[in-house]
Amino acid sequence: MESSYRPEEAREVLDQWRLQRRSIGFVPTMGALHAGHLSLIERAKGENDKVVVSIFVNPLQFNDQSDFDNYPSTLEQDRTLLEDAAVDLLFAPTASVMHPMPMNFKVAVGPMAEAYEGYYRPGHFDGVATVVAKLLLIVGASRVYFGEKDIQQCSVVRRMVEEFHFPNRIEVVSTYREEDGLAFSSRNVRLTASSRRVAPLMYQNLQKAAKSIREGQDPSFVINSAIEEVATVAKEANVDFQFDYVDLVDETFGPVAQFSEGLRIVAAWTLDGVRLIDNLSV
Ligand code: AMP
């Protein structure tokens, strides 16, 4: 695997591949790699001649400094995982390389970034859009892979790519889960033993809620019952449980009160201060 730390180093390798007419798949990540990331890489390997992975913990997308400070960093372990996954190029820039100071330019996302994650994490999607735009310009990939776990991020990126006429294809990969249903996330390593036991309940209960909604039950009633069950178990386990939102939404992330095709339940909650997100189709 080749490694590069600066855009010009990465371009030297990438230009060579483009000259050889190789297709390039790109998986942007913030590192602390897990099986979810590896599922994106595996898909990219299957669809492209060469695969590039970036590791960059983007300070612009953290609205909470302590979340940024506590974000796990395991670069050497990540490098081994990427070698084992036969990735062709790792791009791992520093913050000063990626965002030279003073920063004069940022991507400003419009109203689509105001709900849910955008509401609870002000500035988050501007930070995501800015770094993704830069990464796409540096890598020049044929296809770029994002996880459905961050469903709102997928819509923001898709829309940006459309509006700015980026030449890349955006591919969305389904959420990869632990056996008990918990979505793999870099933040899972910060869960205590007791909060880890509570963590899968949200998805498990929301799956049941989704089934009841499909069968015609009232969405807000079944979603509230799902939340209450998580709250009860968390309390028994002495785990602090808070939630930002658990809602039934349509593809524009507007809330809906009734079942129709193409709806999803989106959820964000914290267990002992570790913030988790998930979503599932109804
Ligand atoms: P992150 O390192 O958290 O920024 O994630 C990098 C990419 O991996 C994003 O496109 C995420 O949506 C995706 N991803 C994270 N967790 C999972 C998962 N459990 N299943 C599938 N994709 C994931």
Side-chain angles (χ1 to χ4, degrees):
M1 182 176 71
E2 310 248 14
S3 296
S4 56
Y5 305 93
R6 312 188 68 86
E8 54 277 22
E9 290 166 6
R11 277 201 191 107
E12 247 176 65
V13 180
L14 290 156
D15 284 347
Q16 208 54 40
W17 290 341
R18 275 188 288 267
L19 271 177
Q20 297 161 357
R21 300 230 157 257
R22 306 291 175 99
S23 60
I24 297 168
F26 176 35
V27 182
T29 82
M30 298 206 295
L33 300 179
H34 50 67
H37 296 115
L38 294 177
S39 72
L40 270 60
I41 292 169
E42 198 180 317
R43 167 95 176 265
K45 289 286 300 176
E47 296 177 351
N48 301 276
D49 300 321
K50 296 285 182 184
V51 170
V52 183
V53 172
S54 64
I55 294 184
F56 178 60
V57 185
N58 174 32
L60 301 184
Q61 71 189 70
F62 286 81
N63 54 310
D64 175 350
Q65 184 65 35
S66 79
D67 189 23
F68 176 66
D69 294 340
N70 291 321
Y71 202 83
S73 166
T74 55
L75 188 58
E76 284 322 304
Q77 193 183 313
D78 292 351
R79 196 189 294 280
T80 310
L81 283 173
L82 296 177
E83 297 263 11
D84 292 348
V87 165
D88 300 285
L89 172 66
L90 163 65
F91 177 54
T94 59
S96 60
V97 163
M98 208 52 199
H99 303 307
M101 290 294 169
M103 272 189 85
N104 292 290
F105 303 96
K106 280 187 187 165
V107 177
V109 186
M112 74 179 302
E114 281 165 16
Y116 299 105
E117 284 305 278
Y119 178 82
Y120 285 96
R121 303 184 67 187
H124 170 68
F125 285 122
D126 288 4
V128 169
T130 302
V131 81
V132 170
K134 291 185 183 191
L135 288 168
L136 296 192
L137 288 167
I138 293 165
V139 175
S142 332
R143 300 180 191 84
V144 190
Y145 295 82
F146 288 90
E148 192 175 51
K149 173 168 172 287
D150 298 278
I151 183 102
Q152 220 181 338
Q153 168 170 286
C154 292
S155 338
V156 167
V157 169
R158 265 194 199 288
R159 188 72 193 133
M160 176 176 77
V161 162
E162 261 169 49
E163 279 192 31
F164 282 169
H165 307 285
F166 276 99
N168 321 86
R169 267 184 73 131
I170 301 300
E171 304 285 353
V172 174
V173 181
S174 355
T175 304
Y176 198 73
R177 299 177 181 280
E178 303 258 18
E179 240 167 59
D180 58 14
L182 179 65
F184 279 96
S185 163
S186 305
R187 289 191 171 86
N188 292 357
V189 295
R190 291 174 47 209
L191 294 169
T192 58
S194 39
S195 56
R196 173 65 188 79
R197 279 194 290 277
V198 177
L201 287 180
M202 182 63 91
Y203 178 68
Q204 291 169 5
N205 290 343
L206 290 178
Q207 266 189 315
K208 288 185 222 148
K211 183 165 179 283
S212 306
I213 293 170
R214 283 195 301 274
E215 288 167 358
Q217 289 199 42
D218 175 48
S220 65
F221 175 76
V222 294
I223 287 175
N224 282 336
S225 313
I227 300 169
E228 270 169 32
E229 269 184 60
V230 178
T232 307
V233 177
K235 201 167 173 207
E236 281 163 11
N238 216 6
V239 169
D240 180 57
F241 164 72
Q242 315 275 341
F243 70 96
D244 285 345
Y245 56 82
V246 184
D247 256 331
L248 182 65
V249 298
D250 61 20
E251 60 279 4
T252 65
F253 293 92
V256 279
Q258 269 187 341
F259 176 68
S260 65
E261 291 300 319
L263 300 181
R264 296 191 86 79
I265 299 175
V266 289
W269 71 106
T270 57
L271 294 175
D272 280 342
V274 178
R275 190 170 186 277
L276 301 174
I277 61 171
D278 205 345
N279 68 89
L280 64 159
S281 70
V282 172

